[in-house]
Amino acid sequence: MRTFGTSRQHAGSGRRACSLACWLAILGTACACDRATPAPDPEASQQAGLTEGFDPRHRQHAAAVTIRFANGRLEPWGGVAGSDRLQVAAVFGDVDRRDVTLVGDLVGQAQQAPALPSEDACVRQPGLLHRFDVQPSAAPHAYVQLLDVGNLELRAGALKLPLRVQLVPSLFAAARGVRYDADQDMGRSWLAAGPLHLTATGGDGIAAFDAVVPVPRPVRLTYVGSEPVRGGRAQGPVPGQDLVVRWGSVDGAADLELQVGAEVDGGLGWLRCRLRDDGAFSVPAALTAQLPVRTADRPWLAVLVRSRQAPIAGFEGMPLRLELTDAAHIF
């Protein structure tokens, strides 16, 4: 997706309403015009052939915000490389209650299903992880309006990062609105500047808010078995042996997940493991045997994700998610 402008602090004064053709742009393109999002339209739901029409009694505000810091330059599965990259993606929606997960899809959060098991246990999951530009998993039940909540900014101490606002092309005839994004290389200073604040000036019926999430301890993959991780690479175990990973810091206040993935026909397959944050974990060989055989051209990718979640005033649940990640290719 290409942005059509920077943050509103730098936007021009000439504001124009978007044409209908702009909303029907092909996924991956963006309209070079400013915001003018209409109120939910009951007819739009009917024209889209949805299973059920618009009913204001079943509506709610939903949000999904992912803030991710990735160590080094390794981006999972062909992403644009960056040096200690900080990325933010945020959407805020007026949706049918059955479509809340669709909002999470737009910043990759709903792709974390199924739910993880108890600590030190794993599940298999197909599909893509670590992607911000993910299509919704299913058509919505009713009209989806992605809201413009005003100027949105990430802050930590004296650091400030305004988010860009861009139009989301119509994935379905009854889904339209805006999404917020920001990215910055050399972002490690954000981890030591205090809690992260996501602030909005308000708009589209949403009041101004200041959501706060504490920053966990940084995470770093240090060893795969007895082999140190160097330059984002490590030698893996021989077939039939468990995959043992170690990391260099612990944090009892955050969640920790290990994701081990490999290319499979038609996409990617993952093992996702919920970890006790004690410095080491062993993935049974019976599970890694379900991944494709490692080769020089197709190594496994191991990703450690330390995360915390926080509420946002005016929205249900804990929609603000902060992830600190480190990754290594296992050959």
PDB file of all heavy atoms in Angstrom, residues 270-302:
ATOM      1  N   TRP A 270       3.730 -22.930  10.386  1.00  0.00           N
ATOM      2  CA  TRP A 270       4.386 -22.481  11.605  1.00  0.00           C
ATOM      3  C   TRP A 270       4.104 -23.425  12.762  1.00  0.00           C
ATOM      4  O   TRP A 270       3.043 -24.041  12.840  1.00  0.00           O
ATOM      5  CB  TRP A 270       3.862 -21.092  12.011  1.00  0.00           C
ATOM      6  CG  TRP A 270       4.261 -19.995  11.099  1.00  0.00           C
ATOM      7  CD1 TRP A 270       3.601 -19.576   9.974  1.00  0.00           C
ATOM      8  CD2 TRP A 270       5.404 -19.156  11.210  1.00  0.00           C
ATOM      9  NE1 TRP A 270       4.263 -18.522   9.390  1.00  0.00           N
ATOM     10  CE2 TRP A 270       5.375 -18.244  10.131  1.00  0.00           C
ATOM     11  CE3 TRP A 270       6.448 -19.069  12.132  1.00  0.00           C
ATOM     12  CZ2 TRP A 270       6.353 -17.276   9.938  1.00  0.00           C
ATOM     13  CZ3 TRP A 270       7.422 -18.110  11.946  1.00  0.00           C
ATOM     14  CH2 TRP A 270       7.371 -17.226  10.859  1.00  0.00           C
ATOM     15  N   LEU A 271       5.081 -23.507  13.659  1.00  0.00           N
ATOM     16  CA  LEU A 271       4.874 -23.989  15.008  1.00  0.00           C
ATOM     17  C   LEU A 271       4.912 -22.767  15.915  1.00  0.00           C
ATOM     18  O   LEU A 271       5.845 -21.962  15.838  1.00  0.00           O
ATOM     19  CB  LEU A 271       5.963 -24.978  15.427  1.00  0.00           C
ATOM     20  CG  LEU A 271       6.032 -26.297  14.666  1.00  0.00           C
ATOM     21  CD1 LEU A 271       7.274 -27.070  15.093  1.00  0.00           C
ATOM     22  CD2 LEU A 271       4.777 -27.135  14.920  1.00  0.00           C
ATOM     23  N   ARG A 272       3.902 -22.621  16.750  1.00  0.00           N
ATOM     24  CA  ARG A 272       3.862 -21.509  17.699  1.00  0.00           C
ATOM     25  C   ARG A 272       3.853 -22.079  19.104  1.00  0.00           C
ATOM     26  O   ARG A 272       3.024 -22.930  19.437  1.00  0.00           O
ATOM     27  CB  ARG A 272       2.616 -20.631  17.478  1.00  0.00           C
ATOM     28  CG  ARG A 272       2.581 -19.953  16.128  1.00  0.00           C
ATOM     29  CD  ARG A 272       1.294 -19.149  15.949  1.00  0.00           C
ATOM     30  NE  ARG A 272       1.136 -18.180  17.023  1.00  0.00           N
ATOM     31  CZ  ARG A 272      -0.016 -17.981  17.666  1.00  0.00           C
ATOM     32  NH1 ARG A 272      -1.080 -18.695  17.382  1.00  0.00           N
ATOM     33  NH2 ARG A 272      -0.082 -17.073  18.616  1.00  0.00           N
ATOM     34  N   CYS A 273       4.793 -21.616  19.915  1.00  0.00           N
ATOM     35  CA  CYS A 273       4.969 -22.159  21.255  1.00  0.00           C
ATOM     36  C   CYS A 273       4.895 -21.033  22.278  1.00  0.00           C
ATOM     37  O   CYS A 273       5.577 -20.007  22.134  1.00  0.00           O
ATOM     38  CB  CYS A 273       6.318 -22.859  21.397  1.00  0.00           C
ATOM     39  SG  CYS A 273       6.637 -24.121  20.126  1.00  0.00           S
ATOM     40  N   ARG A 274       4.071 -21.221  23.275  1.00  0.00           N
ATOM     41  CA  ARG A 274       4.005 -20.280  24.393  1.00  0.00           C
ATOM     42  C   ARG A 274       5.050 -20.696  25.415  1.00  0.00           C
ATOM     43  O   ARG A 274       5.061 -21.848  25.876  1.00  0.00           O
ATOM     44  CB  ARG A 274       2.612 -20.290  25.013  1.00  0.00           C
ATOM     45  CG  ARG A 274       2.455 -19.330  26.179  1.00  0.00           C
ATOM     46  CD  ARG A 274       1.064 -19.442  26.764  1.00  0.00           C
ATOM     47  NE  ARG A 274       0.901 -18.579  27.917  1.00  0.00           N
ATOM     48  CZ  ARG A 274      -0.146 -18.605  28.725  1.00  0.00           C
ATOM     49  NH1 ARG A 274      -1.128 -19.468  28.501  1.00  0.00           N
ATOM     50  NH2 ARG A 274      -0.220 -17.792  29.760  1.00  0.00           N
ATOM     51  N   LEU A 275       5.935 -19.768  25.781  1.00  0.00           N
ATOM     52  CA  LEU A 275       7.097 -20.123  26.589  1.00  0.00           C
ATOM     53  C   LEU A 275       7.006 -19.590  28.009  1.00  0.00           C
ATOM     54  O   LEU A 275       6.491 -18.489  28.243  1.00  0.00           O
ATOM     55  CB  LEU A 275       8.379 -19.570  25.953  1.00  0.00           C
ATOM     56  CG  LEU A 275       8.656 -19.919  24.490  1.00  0.00           C
ATOM     57  CD1 LEU A 275      10.039 -19.422  24.100  1.00  0.00           C
ATOM     58  CD2 LEU A 275       8.520 -21.403  24.237  1.00  0.00           C
ATOM     59  N   ARG A 276       7.549 -20.363  28.924  1.00  0.00           N
ATOM     60  CA  ARG A 276       7.889 -19.835  30.234  1.00  0.00           C
ATOM     61  C   ARG A 276       9.187 -19.056  30.055  1.00  0.00           C
ATOM     62  O   ARG A 276      10.158 -19.566  29.515  1.00  0.00           O
ATOM     63  CB  ARG A 276       8.070 -20.971  31.244  1.00  0.00           C
ATOM     64  CG  ARG A 276       8.393 -20.518  32.647  1.00  0.00           C
ATOM     65  CD  ARG A 276       8.549 -21.692  33.581  1.00  0.00           C
ATOM     66  NE  ARG A 276       7.291 -22.431  33.726  1.00  0.00           N
ATOM     67  CZ  ARG A 276       7.062 -23.636  33.211  1.00  0.00           C
ATOM     68  NH1 ARG A 276       8.010 -24.237  32.488  1.00  0.00           N
ATOM     69  NH2 ARG A 276       5.896 -24.229  33.372  1.00  0.00           N
ATOM     70  N   ASP A 277       9.207 -17.820  30.498  1.00  0.00           N
ATOM     71  CA  ASP A 277      10.344 -16.942  30.208  1.00  0.00           C
ATOM     72  C   ASP A 277      11.481 -17.219  31.184  1.00  0.00           C
ATOM     73  O   ASP A 277      11.761 -16.452  32.099  1.00  0.00           O
ATOM     74  CB  ASP A 277       9.897 -15.478  30.295  1.00  0.00           C
ATOM     75  CG  ASP A 277      10.828 -14.537  29.534  1.00  0.00           C
ATOM     76  OD1 ASP A 277      11.936 -14.973  29.164  1.00  0.00           O
ATOM     77  OD2 ASP A 277      10.440 -13.370  29.316  1.00  0.00           O
ATOM     78  N   ASP A 278      12.167 -18.358  30.937  1.00  0.00           N
ATOM     79  CA  ASP A 278      13.248 -18.768  31.832  1.00  0.00           C
ATOM     80  C   ASP A 278      14.590 -18.942  31.130  1.00  0.00           C
ATOM     81  O   ASP A 278      15.552 -19.438  31.714  1.00  0.00           O
ATOM     82  CB  ASP A 278      12.879 -20.063  32.559  1.00  0.00           C
ATOM     83  CG  ASP A 278      12.534 -21.201  31.587  1.00  0.00           C
ATOM     84  OD1 ASP A 278      12.727 -21.027  30.358  1.00  0.00           O
ATOM     85  OD2 ASP A 278      12.064 -22.252  32.053  1.00  0.00           O
ATOM     86  N   GLY A 279      14.652 -18.538  29.853  1.00  0.00           N
ATOM     87  CA  GLY A 279      15.941 -18.534  29.157  1.00  0.00           C
ATOM     88  C   GLY A 279      16.175 -19.654  28.182  1.00  0.00           C
ATOM     89  O   GLY A 279      17.131 -19.577  27.389  1.00  0.00           O
ATOM     90  N   ALA A 280      15.362 -20.721  28.188  1.00  0.00           N
ATOM     91  CA  ALA A 280      15.603 -21.838  27.270  1.00  0.00           C
ATOM     92  C   ALA A 280      14.319 -22.612  27.034  1.00  0.00           C
ATOM     93  O   ALA A 280      13.431 -22.668  27.899  1.00  0.00           O
ATOM     94  CB  ALA A 280      16.682 -22.770  27.821  1.00  0.00           C
ATOM     95  N   PHE A 281      14.224 -23.220  25.841  1.00  0.00           N
ATOM     96  CA  PHE A 281      13.064 -24.037  25.504  1.00  0.00           C
ATOM     97  C   PHE A 281      13.475 -25.065  24.466  1.00  0.00           C
ATOM     98  O   PHE A 281      14.303 -24.793  23.587  1.00  0.00           O
ATOM     99  CB  PHE A 281      11.922 -23.191  24.953  1.00  0.00           C
ATOM    100  CG  PHE A 281      10.698 -23.987  24.587  1.00  0.00           C
ATOM    101  CD1 PHE A 281       9.903 -24.548  25.571  1.00  0.00           C
ATOM    102  CD2 PHE A 281      10.345 -24.176  23.262  1.00  0.00           C
ATOM    103  CE1 PHE A 281       8.774 -25.295  25.254  1.00  0.00           C
ATOM    104  CE2 PHE A 281       9.222 -24.920  22.925  1.00  0.00           C
ATOM    105  CZ  PHE A 281       8.433 -25.476  23.929  1.00  0.00           C
ATOM    106  N   SER A 282      12.873 -26.259  24.564  1.00  0.00           N
ATOM    107  CA  SER A 282      13.163 -27.346  23.639  1.00  0.00           C
ATOM    108  C   SER A 282      11.899 -27.713  22.878  1.00  0.00           C
ATOM    109  O   SER A 282      10.880 -28.084  23.485  1.00  0.00           O
ATOM    110  CB  SER A 282      13.689 -28.561  24.410  1.00  0.00           C
ATOM    111  OG  SER A 282      13.935 -29.645  23.529  1.00  0.00           O
ATOM    112  N   VAL A 283      11.940 -27.596  21.550  1.00  0.00           N
ATOM    113  CA  VAL A 283      10.825 -28.006  20.697  1.00  0.00           C
ATOM    114  C   VAL A 283      11.027 -29.474  20.338  1.00  0.00           C
ATOM    115  O   VAL A 283      12.060 -29.833  19.752  1.00  0.00           O
ATOM    116  CB  VAL A 283      10.752 -27.163  19.412  1.00  0.00           C
ATOM    117  CG1 VAL A 283       9.528 -27.557  18.592  1.00  0.00           C
ATOM    118  CG2 VAL A 283      10.720 -25.681  19.739  1.00  0.00           C
ATOM    119  N   PRO A 284      10.091 -30.340  20.684  1.00  0.00           N
ATOM    120  CA  PRO A 284      10.288 -31.773  20.420  1.00  0.00           C
ATOM    121  C   PRO A 284      10.520 -32.070  18.941  1.00  0.00           C
ATOM    122  O   PRO A 284       9.922 -31.441  18.058  1.00  0.00           O
ATOM    123  CB  PRO A 284       8.981 -32.410  20.916  1.00  0.00           C
ATOM    124  CG  PRO A 284       8.427 -31.430  21.901  1.00  0.00           C
ATOM    125  CD  PRO A 284       8.826 -30.078  21.383  1.00  0.00           C
ATOM    126  N   ALA A 285      11.375 -33.030  18.687  1.00  0.00           N
ATOM    127  CA  ALA A 285      11.688 -33.416  17.310  1.00  0.00           C
ATOM    128  C   ALA A 285      10.444 -33.893  16.570  1.00  0.00           C
ATOM    129  O   ALA A 285      10.331 -33.729  15.349  1.00  0.00           O
ATOM    130  CB  ALA A 285      12.759 -34.505  17.305  1.00  0.00           C
ATOM    131  N   ALA A 286       9.484 -34.485  17.290  1.00  0.00           N
ATOM    132  CA  ALA A 286       8.257 -34.957  16.643  1.00  0.00           C
ATOM    133  C   ALA A 286       7.466 -33.809  16.035  1.00  0.00           C
ATOM    134  O   ALA A 286       6.742 -34.009  15.044  1.00  0.00           O
ATOM    135  CB  ALA A 286       7.398 -35.712  17.659  1.00  0.00           C
ATOM    136  N   LEU A 287       7.611 -32.595  16.595  1.00  0.00           N
ATOM    137  CA  LEU A 287       6.920 -31.437  16.035  1.00  0.00           C
ATOM    138  C   LEU A 287       7.703 -30.823  14.873  1.00  0.00           C
ATOM    139  O   LEU A 287       7.131 -30.506  13.835  1.00  0.00           O
ATOM    140  CB  LEU A 287       6.689 -30.389  17.126  1.00  0.00           C
ATOM    141  CG  LEU A 287       5.662 -30.749  18.195  1.00  0.00           C
ATOM    142  CD1 LEU A 287       5.576 -29.640  19.238  1.00  0.00           C
ATOM    143  CD2 LEU A 287       4.286 -30.978  17.572  1.00  0.00           C
ATOM    144  N   THR A 288       9.000 -30.637  15.037  1.00  0.00           N
ATOM    145  CA  THR A 288       9.786 -30.046  13.940  1.00  0.00           C
ATOM    146  C   THR A 288       9.837 -30.972  12.738  1.00  0.00           C
ATOM    147  O   THR A 288      10.044 -30.511  11.607  1.00  0.00           O
ATOM    148  CB  THR A 288      11.208 -29.704  14.410  1.00  0.00           C
ATOM    149  OG1 THR A 288      11.854 -30.882  14.910  1.00  0.00           O
ATOM    150  CG2 THR A 288      11.178 -28.650  15.508  1.00  0.00           C
ATOM    151  N   ALA A 289       9.614 -32.259  12.947  1.00  0.00           N
ATOM    152  CA  ALA A 289       9.580 -33.189  11.821  1.00  0.00           C
ATOM    153  C   ALA A 289       8.410 -32.900  10.896  1.00  0.00           C
ATOM    154  O   ALA A 289       8.400 -33.347   9.742  1.00  0.00           O
ATOM    155  CB  ALA A 289       9.510 -34.628  12.334  1.00  0.00           C
ATOM    156  N   GLN A 290       7.409 -32.152  11.367  1.00  0.00           N
ATOM    157  CA  GLN A 290       6.267 -31.806  10.539  1.00  0.00           C
ATOM    158  C   GLN A 290       6.557 -30.615   9.628  1.00  0.00           C
ATOM    159  O   GLN A 290       5.750 -30.303   8.751  1.00  0.00           O
ATOM    160  CB  GLN A 290       5.071 -31.490  11.438  1.00  0.00           C
ATOM    161  CG  GLN A 290       4.659 -32.650  12.322  1.00  0.00           C
ATOM    162  CD  GLN A 290       3.548 -32.276  13.292  1.00  0.00           C
ATOM    163  OE1 GLN A 290       2.686 -31.459  12.968  1.00  0.00           O
ATOM    164  NE2 GLN A 290       3.555 -32.870  14.474  1.00  0.00           N
ATOM    165  N   LEU A 291       7.677 -29.943   9.843  1.00  0.00           N
ATOM    166  CA  LEU A 291       8.100 -28.862   8.958  1.00  0.00           C
ATOM    167  C   LEU A 291       8.905 -29.434   7.799  1.00  0.00           C
ATOM    168  O   LEU A 291       9.471 -30.526   7.898  1.00  0.00           O
ATOM    169  CB  LEU A 291       8.958 -27.857   9.735  1.00  0.00           C
ATOM    170  CG  LEU A 291       8.277 -27.111  10.881  1.00  0.00           C
ATOM    171  CD1 LEU A 291       9.294 -26.249  11.634  1.00  0.00           C
ATOM    172  CD2 LEU A 291       7.127 -26.251  10.376  1.00  0.00           C
ATOM    173  N   PRO A 292       8.994 -28.704   6.669  1.00  0.00           N
ATOM    174  CA  PRO A 292       9.835 -29.175   5.570  1.00  0.00           C
ATOM    175  C   PRO A 292      11.292 -29.328   6.006  1.00  0.00           C
ATOM    176  O   PRO A 292      11.760 -28.654   6.927  1.00  0.00           O
ATOM    177  CB  PRO A 292       9.689 -28.057   4.527  1.00  0.00           C
ATOM    178  CG  PRO A 292       8.397 -27.398   4.854  1.00  0.00           C
ATOM    179  CD  PRO A 292       8.271 -27.463   6.340  1.00  0.00           C
ATOM    180  N   VAL A 293      11.984 -30.219   5.329  1.00  0.00           N
ATOM    181  CA  VAL A 293      13.397 -30.431   5.626  1.00  0.00           C
ATOM    182  C   VAL A 293      14.171 -29.147   5.367  1.00  0.00           C
ATOM    183  O   VAL A 293      13.949 -28.453   4.363  1.00  0.00           O
ATOM    184  CB  VAL A 293      13.961 -31.580   4.767  1.00  0.00           C
ATOM    185  CG1 VAL A 293      15.457 -31.743   4.997  1.00  0.00           C
ATOM    186  CG2 VAL A 293      13.221 -32.877   5.076  1.00  0.00           C
ATOM    187  N   ARG A 294      15.071 -28.795   6.276  1.00  0.00           N
ATOM    188  CA  ARG A 294      15.886 -27.591   6.101  1.00  0.00           C
ATOM    189  C   ARG A 294      16.891 -27.802   4.975  1.00  0.00           C
ATOM    190  O   ARG A 294      17.499 -28.858   4.852  1.00  0.00           O
ATOM    191  CB  ARG A 294      16.670 -27.258   7.384  1.00  0.00           C
ATOM    192  CG  ARG A 294      15.829 -27.134   8.608  1.00  0.00           C
ATOM    193  CD  ARG A 294      16.632 -26.617   9.804  1.00  0.00           C
ATOM    194  NE  ARG A 294      17.928 -27.227   9.977  1.00  0.00           N
ATOM    195  CZ  ARG A 294      18.149 -28.335  10.678  1.00  0.00           C
ATOM    196  NH1 ARG A 294      17.150 -28.977  11.265  1.00  0.00           N
ATOM    197  NH2 ARG A 294      19.371 -28.817  10.808  1.00  0.00           N
ATOM    198  N   THR A 295      17.038 -26.761   4.149  1.00  0.00           N
ATOM    199  CA  THR A 295      18.060 -26.762   3.104  1.00  0.00           C
ATOM    200  C   THR A 295      18.724 -25.393   3.080  1.00  0.00           C
ATOM    201  O   THR A 295      18.251 -24.451   3.715  1.00  0.00           O
ATOM    202  CB  THR A 295      17.450 -27.056   1.724  1.00  0.00           C
ATOM    203  OG1 THR A 295      16.596 -25.957   1.350  1.00  0.00           O
ATOM    204  CG2 THR A 295      16.639 -28.349   1.732  1.00  0.00           C
ATOM    205  N   ALA A 296      19.798 -25.271   2.319  1.00  0.00           N
ATOM    206  CA  ALA A 296      20.466 -23.975   2.193  1.00  0.00           C
ATOM    207  C   ALA A 296      19.542 -22.940   1.571  1.00  0.00           C
ATOM    208  O   ALA A 296      19.631 -21.746   1.887  1.00  0.00           O
ATOM    209  CB  ALA A 296      21.741 -24.126   1.357  1.00  0.00           C
ATOM    210  N   ASP A 297      18.652 -23.374   0.690  1.00  0.00           N
ATOM    211  CA  ASP A 297      17.716 -22.456   0.032  1.00  0.00           C
ATOM    212  C   ASP A 297      16.419 -22.271   0.813  1.00  0.00           C
ATOM    213  O   ASP A 297      15.676 -21.316   0.549  1.00  0.00           O
ATOM    214  CB  ASP A 297      17.377 -22.956  -1.377  1.00  0.00           C
ATOM    215  CG  ASP A 297      18.590 -22.973  -2.289  1.00  0.00           C
ATOM    216  OD1 ASP A 297      19.478 -22.113  -2.107  1.00  0.00           O
ATOM    217  OD2 ASP A 297      18.646 -23.854  -3.163  1.00  0.00           O
ATOM    218  N   ARG A 298      16.148 -23.172   1.732  1.00  0.00           N
ATOM    219  CA  ARG A 298      14.909 -23.090   2.492  1.00  0.00           C
ATOM    220  C   ARG A 298      15.182 -23.433   3.960  1.00  0.00           C
ATOM    221  O   ARG A 298      14.837 -24.503   4.448  1.00  0.00           O
ATOM    222  CB  ARG A 298      13.847 -24.017   1.913  1.00  0.00           C
ATOM    223  CG  ARG A 298      12.463 -23.810   2.547  1.00  0.00           C
ATOM    224  CD  ARG A 298      11.408 -24.650   1.856  1.00  0.00           C
ATOM    225  NE  ARG A 298      11.669 -26.070   1.979  1.00  0.00           N
ATOM    226  CZ  ARG A 298      10.915 -27.019   1.416  1.00  0.00           C
ATOM    227  NH1 ARG A 298       9.879 -26.678   0.667  1.00  0.00           N
ATOM    228  NH2 ARG A 298      11.201 -28.295   1.572  1.00  0.00           N
ATOM    229  N   PRO A 299      15.817 -22.508   4.676  1.00  0.00           N
ATOM    230  CA  PRO A 299      16.043 -22.744   6.104  1.00  0.00           C
ATOM    231  C   PRO A 299      14.762 -22.533   6.893  1.00  0.00           C
ATOM    232  O   PRO A 299      13.784 -21.983   6.380  1.00  0.00           O
ATOM    233  CB  PRO A 299      17.085 -21.679   6.462  1.00  0.00           C
ATOM    234  CG  PRO A 299      16.788 -20.554   5.532  1.00  0.00           C
ATOM    235  CD  PRO A 299      16.344 -21.206   4.239  1.00  0.00           C
ATOM    236  N   TRP A 300      14.772 -22.977   8.129  1.00  0.00           N
ATOM    237  CA  TRP A 300      13.703 -22.599   9.041  1.00  0.00           C
ATOM    238  C   TRP A 300      13.951 -21.172   9.512  1.00  0.00           C
ATOM    239  O   TRP A 300      15.080 -20.677   9.491  1.00  0.00           O
ATOM    240  CB  TRP A 300      13.673 -23.514  10.254  1.00  0.00           C
ATOM    241  CG  TRP A 300      13.298 -24.932   9.947  1.00  0.00           C
ATOM    242  CD1 TRP A 300      12.717 -25.415   8.811  1.00  0.00           C
ATOM    243  CD2 TRP A 300      13.503 -26.058  10.809  1.00  0.00           C
ATOM    244  NE1 TRP A 300      12.539 -26.766   8.899  1.00  0.00           N
ATOM    245  CE2 TRP A 300      13.012 -27.190  10.118  1.00  0.00           C
ATOM    246  CE3 TRP A 300      14.040 -26.223  12.077  1.00  0.00           C
ATOM    247  CZ2 TRP A 300      13.045 -28.472  10.674  1.00  0.00           C
ATOM    248  CZ3 TRP A 300      14.083 -27.487  12.640  1.00  0.00           C
ATOM    249  CH2 TRP A 300      13.590 -28.597  11.946  1.00  0.00           C
ATOM    250  N   LEU A 301      12.884 -20.529   9.932  1.00  0.00           N
ATOM    251  CA  LEU A 301      12.988 -19.219  10.563  1.00  0.00           C
ATOM    252  C   LEU A 301      12.456 -19.325  11.979  1.00  0.00           C
ATOM    253  O   LEU A 301      11.308 -19.733  12.186  1.00  0.00           O
ATOM    254  CB  LEU A 301      12.193 -18.161   9.794  1.00  0.00           C
ATOM    255  CG  LEU A 301      12.238 -16.753  10.394  1.00  0.00           C
ATOM    256  CD1 LEU A 301      13.638 -16.149  10.256  1.00  0.00           C
ATOM    257  CD2 LEU A 301      11.201 -15.841   9.743  1.00  0.00           C
ATOM    258  N   ALA A 302      13.276 -18.982  12.974  1.00  0.00           N
ATOM    259  CA  ALA A 302      12.867 -18.963  14.382  1.00  0.00           C
ATOM    260  C   ALA A 302      12.723 -17.513  14.823  1.00  0.00           C
ATOM    261  O   ALA A 302      13.630 -16.704  14.626  1.00  0.00           O
ATOM    262  CB  ALA A 302      13.887 -19.682  15.250  1.00  0.00           C
TER     263      ALA A 302
END
